[in-house]
Amino acid sequence: MEVLISALQTNVLSLILGVIIVGLLWMNRGKQSSFQRLPPGPPPAPLVGNLFQVDTKEPYKYYLGLSQKYGSVCTIWLASKPCVIVSGYQTIRDAFITQGEAFSGRALYPLLVRSTGGYGVMVSSGQRWKDLRQFSLTTLKNFGMGKRSIEERVQEEARSLVRAFQEYDGAPFNPKDLLCNSVANVISSIVFGHRFEYNDPDFLLLYNTINAYFNMLNSSFGMLYNISPRLMGLFPGSHKELFSQLDKSHAYVKKQAEIRLRNLDANSIPQDYIEAFMIKMIQERDSPKTEFTYDNLLGSVWNLFSAGTETTSSTLRQILLLMAKHPDVQECVQREIDEVIGQDRSPCLEDRSKMPYTDAVIHETQRTADLAPTSVPHKVMTDTEFKGFHIPKGTMVLPLLSSVLIDPKLWKNPDSFDPQNFLDEEGKFKRNVGFLAFGLGKRVCLGEGLARAELFLFFTSLLQRFTFVGTVPPDEIDTTPSCCSFGRQPCTYDCYAKPRQ
Ligand code: HEM
């Protein structure tokens, strides 16, 4: 009798399982056919796809391997979702420039959505993104016409940074926080119209929120949150603290916007990003489709802070480490500074075109640092035919920038730090189409001009005053950035900033 019952139970369970599988297949039948002509890739396992094959520590290296095996367009499955990886200069160009409109969408991962409620220039796609991007680009460009140009704002911050380094009086220190403070303060100056003292509670709120956000993005908890936000949201943990800090930061920005709105003359020249946004809000208040809303203001301000702080300060951290590692390169930069700028005035942007070696060192730092190897995820806006494949609307697409930054066909010396990669035989600065540190196409980094100005002015201001020396001999310094799930980061180090005679 027992044998009969057990056999019956097994049959019922098999039947239920069978019904579920048939149901899932039935529900996915449309999807399956639209996925049939996706680019090739490693066979996915049921439900988890290729999740367990991706090297979570260095995902971009796994993708580089795939592109060698399957070609410059290939597909991996992140659980039940396909993700197309595009690599190599020509293929990336064909996608993001030639078919730029189709590839211009932004794929969303849950932490990014949670940080802005899905609003803001970096997170949006379609018309909202176009309006916010156009506005942000014009506003950054127009600051040259306001009371103070962006150049002046960076110069002011660079002077504060030099003073802060001087306080160490030749003792070793970790430059990370000071560099991060300065770069965050440049964005503050653009967004709020003024810099903050580093111990100002409002500045600390914004600064600590950015740090907590990047720590979360780079943690295994953050990775799990991005895969299953609802489930991970049920657990206690540092994400609750981060979300509460994010809410407080947004509330602070909103308060600043409301203060400006009270006395705003809509015909005046705006002095900061928030003021420019509020003017747009007033001008478009009767348009039902306007994107100039508080939600998009808070989202965009957060995007400027989060996208503009970590990237630029990490590049500066890496360049100082490289100077300690390569004293000969540091000497050449200092010689150029002495010849073009001297010791009696602050560096300015006009100097850059007369300093090809310094410019080459900055570019080469960015090329070898490769901080965003897979850029920020895109998605296709429509069903897209590409290189004989079919990519369904909404599919995530990753441009593998790394594949171009280290391509031996594009660089004289791809595998090591060599400023000659950006110099011609006469020592003049030489552009290279493979320099994709800021991405390319319609979504190319919105802050590229600002970042380039900051890198030049901060770097030259520091090398004008100091020589950077490591706490171990140069040949023992490891400059390889560490990899985390989100990108690459310079390693943590202490150094000496020795005052120059
Ligand atoms: C060395 C410094 C920087 C690097 C390496 C960098 C790199 C990048 C990359 C690779 C992207 C993604 C492009 C794409 O989606 O295809 C991006 C987007 C973006 N960056 Fe930067 N960035 C830097 C500095 C900045 C700064 C200073 C700002 C602030 C103004 C900024 C604001 C943004 C924004 C708002 C986006 C999103 C643009 C959009 O979605 O249309 N970045 N950046």
Side-chain angles (χ1 to χ4, degrees):
M1 188 62 178
E2 268 179 29
V3 176
L4 198 67
I5 291 173
S6 147
L8 203 66
Q9 278 176 340
T10 314
N11 282 343
V12 171
L13 275 177
S14 307
L15 188 71
I16 294 172
L17 207 64
V19 170
I20 291 175
I21 291 172
V22 170
L24 281 174
L25 289 175
W26 172 259
M27 282 186 323
N28 279 329
R29 71 200 188 287
K31 277 192 193 166
Q32 290 304 336
S33 62
S34 72
F35 290 150
Q36 264 165 12
R37 285 176 50 229
L38 273 170
L47 297 176
V48 290
N50 303 110
L51 269 183
F52 292 117
Q53 293 151 37
V54 178
D55 176 354
T56 46
K57 284 213 180 98
E58 296 187 311
Y60 76 100
K61 285 200 176 159
Y62 173 70
Y63 302 152
L64 283 170
L66 289 185
S67 66
Q68 273 160 15
K69 185 164 177 193
Y70 295 100
S72 61
V73 209
C74 52
T75 307
I76 54 158
W77 287 77
L78 302 172
S80 58
K81 290 190 178 145
C83 167
V84 171
I85 295 163
V86 183
S87 55
Y89 176 73
Q90 194 53 50
T91 311
I92 290 184
R93 208 189 139 80
D94 291 343
F96 295 93
I97 295 209
T98 315
Q99 288 181 238
E101 189 65 31
F103 282 86
S104 72
R106 177 69 75 215
L108 297 178
Y109 46 88
L111 268 176
L112 190 59
V113 177
R114 178 60 184 80
S115 69
T116 64
Y119 292 94
V121 61
M122 189 174 209
V123 187
S124 45
S125 299
Q127 198 54 45
R128 172 179 296 168
W129 162 68
K130 282 183 187 165
D131 290 356
L132 295 174
R133 183 166 170 110
Q134 181 60 44
F135 164 79
S136 300
L137 280 173
T138 316
T139 305
L140 288 177
K141 205 167 127 215
N142 284 352
F143 274 137
M145 291 153 56
K147 259 198 212 144
R148 294 173 60 230
S149 68
I150 283 185
E151 180 176 12
E152 281 172 82
R153 292 171 210 251
V154 182
Q155 283 170 327
E156 178 188 21
E157 201 53 46
R159 281 191 290 272
S160 301
L161 183 65
V162 167
R163 279 196 297 276
F165 274 32
Q166 272 161 347
E167 282 173 21
Y168 283 91
D169 203 18
F173 66 104
N174 178 347
K176 181 176 184 231
D177 281 344
L178 287 177
L179 293 172
C180 226
N181 277 338
S182 302
V183 170
N185 233 344
V186 170
I187 307 272
S188 301
S189 177
I190 290 167
V191 168
F192 302 112
H194 61 85
R195 72 179 294 277
F196 292 86
E197 288 307 318
Y198 297 148
N199 55 3
D200 184 300
D202 294 329
F203 181 70
L204 285 174
L205 169 68
L206 295 165
Y207 181 80
N208 291 336
T209 311
I210 294 168
N211 273 341
Y213 177 65
F214 276 94
N215 287 343
M216 177 62 68
L217 269 180
N218 291 328
S219 69
S220 2
F221 189 94
M223 230 171 72
L224 290 174
Y225 186 92
N226 276 335
I227 293 171
S228 183
R230 272 200 224 144
L231 183 68
M232 296 313 286
L234 298 176
F235 289 98
S238 49
H239 59 298
K240 304 262 178 199
E241 174 62 19
L242 167 67
F243 296 156
S244 128
Q245 266 178 293
L246 272 167
D247 293 343
K248 283 186 203 150
S249 299
H250 291 327
Y252 173 72
V253 176
K254 186 156 188 210
K255 198 175 93 195
Q256 292 299 313
E258 284 165 350
I259 292 171
R260 279 162 184 72
L261 192 60
R262 270 184 235 143
N263 308 311
L264 199 58
D265 172 0
N267 296 316
S268 59
I269 295 177
Q271 298 305 316
D272 58 50
Y273 184 89
I274 297 183
E275 209 168 287
F277 201 99
M278 300 313 286
I279 290 176
K280 259 322 229 185
M281 211 188 232
I282 297 174
Q283 287 166 350
E284 295 200 2
R285 79 180 131 205
D286 295 329
S287 156
K289 283 193 176 160
T290 182
E291 293 297 351
F292 293 90
T293 61
Y294 276 113
D295 284 333
N296 275 326
L297 170 68
L298 306 188
S300 297
V301 165
W302 172 251
N303 289 158
L304 293 184
F305 267 100
S306 56
T309 305
E310 180 70 15
T311 43
T312 315
S313 68
S314 290
T315 311
L316 287 168
R317 196 146 49 102
Q318 179 70 2
I319 208 167
L320 299 186
L321 183 63
L322 284 164
M323 292 306 98
K325 170 89 183 164
H326 301 278
D328 50 327
V329 174
Q330 178 161 217
E331 236 174 78
C332 290
V333 173
Q334 286 174 327
R335 201 172 311 132
E336 205 170 51
I337 291 175
D338 293 346
E339 279 166 19
V340 177
I341 307 168
Q343 285 288 326
D344 301 331
R345 68 167 174 88
S346 297
C348 62
L349 288 179
E350 239 185 76
D351 298 323
R352 188 165 49 188
S353 59
K354 297 172 218 139
M355 299 174 68
Y357 189 81
T358 305
D359 208 6
V361 169
I362 296 172
H363 279 76
E364 182 64 353
T365 301
Q366 290 197 264
R367 184 188 76 79
T368 50
D370 188 10
L371 293 180
T374 50
S375 188
V376 184
H378 284 235
K379 71 174 179 197
V380 281
M381 295 296 289
T382 48
D383 283 351
T384 302
E385 293 297 316
F386 186 62
K387 305 272 177 205
F389 302 111
H390 177 79
I391 309 177
K393 179 179 175 180
T395 304
M396 184 193 280
V397 183
L398 293 182
L400 191 53
L401 303 181
S402 260
S403 64
V404 184
L405 294 174
I406 53 167
D407 183 347
K409 291 193 283 315
L410 292 168
W411 307 98
K412 278 189 231 168
N413 198 353
D415 298 324
S416 43
F417 175 77
D418 181 2
Q420 295 302 324
N421 277 317
F422 288 94
L423 292 167
D424 68 11
E425 287 70 28
E426 292 166 28
K428 291 200 186 110
F429 183 80
K430 192 178 70 175
R431 289 197 182 286
N432 187 316
V433 288
F435 180 71
L436 295 191
F438 293 103
L440 91 169
K442 289 184 184 289
R443 286 205 94 128
V444 66
C445 174
L446 192 151
E448 177 173 352
L450 171 63
R452 287 186 8 85
E454 287 186 89
L455 293 177
F456 178 76
L457 294 173
F458 280 125
F459 180 48
T460 49
S461 300
L462 289 173
L463 261 70
Q464 186 183 38
R465 299 280 169 235
F466 307 104
T467 297
F468 289 87
V469 180
T471 50
V472 292
D475 53 352
E476 286 175 33
I477 297 177
D478 183 4
T479 57
T480 321
S482 61
C483 198
C484 42
S485 57
F486 188 65
R488 301 203 331 151
Q489 279 186 326
C491 45
T492 305
Y493 64 88
D494 279 359
C495 67
Y496 295 93
K498 303 219 156 153
R500 291 185 65 200
Q501 299 305 315

